Amino acid sequence: MFKNRNEPILPIPSDLYDEIGQLGDRVQALRADIARVRNQYAQLAQSPKSLRVDELGPPTDPREAVILTHTALRAVDRDLETVEKGISYAHGPASRISLTDAAAEHREQQLAAQRPPIERTR
């Protein structure tokens, strides 16, 4: 069935499925970090008299800068929510994929051919 020795070694679908889950975990962790930072900016907004801004750009109010930052982080979180939903969706069909017995056997043969020979000593 498999004649070409230059074929790439196929990945194991269940390993890829696990990687999708790890991607989802990383996105969830990032969203939690963003929520934590957003909450800290919300705390800053409660004390506008304790804040100032530099004069390097257009004039702005410290409270406005905090609100703009908080709003931008909220938009990022919404985008990450979309990413998280997409990853979750991908997990469904990915769970159904597996190699055929012939493809799995061929994969093992390819891997065995790549292993260095075992040197035996007496």
Side-chain angles (χ1 to χ4, degrees), residues 45-95:
Q46 300 302 313
S47 300
K49 293 184 191 256
S50 299
L51 304 173
R52 64 180 180 177
V53 293
D54 61 36
E55 297 176 8
L56 298 175
T60 188
D61 173 77
R63 184 167 165 81
E64 180 184 3
V66 168
I67 290 169
L68 290 173
T69 302
H70 188 270
T71 301
L73 289 172
R74 186 172 22 153
V76 169
D77 183 59
R78 280 194 304 262
D79 290 344
L80 287 173
E81 181 180 21
T82 301
V83 169
E84 192 173 8
K85 287 178 181 177
I87 289 170
S88 179
Y89 176 80
H91 228 194
S95 70

Side-chain angles (χ1 to χ4, degrees), residues 26-39 77:
R26 288 172 31 207
V27 171
Q28 285 178 353
L30 182 56
R31 289 188 70 202
D33 289 344
I34 289 171
R36 180 182 48 77
V37 171
R38 279 181 57 214
N39 287 337
D77 183 59

Side-chain angles (χ1 to χ4, degrees), residues 86-107:
I87 289 170
S88 179
Y89 176 80
H91 228 194
S95 70
R96 301 184 61 197
I97 303 168
S98 64
L99 295 177
T100 64
D101 291 342
E105 183 178 326
H106 178 65
R107 181 182 190 283

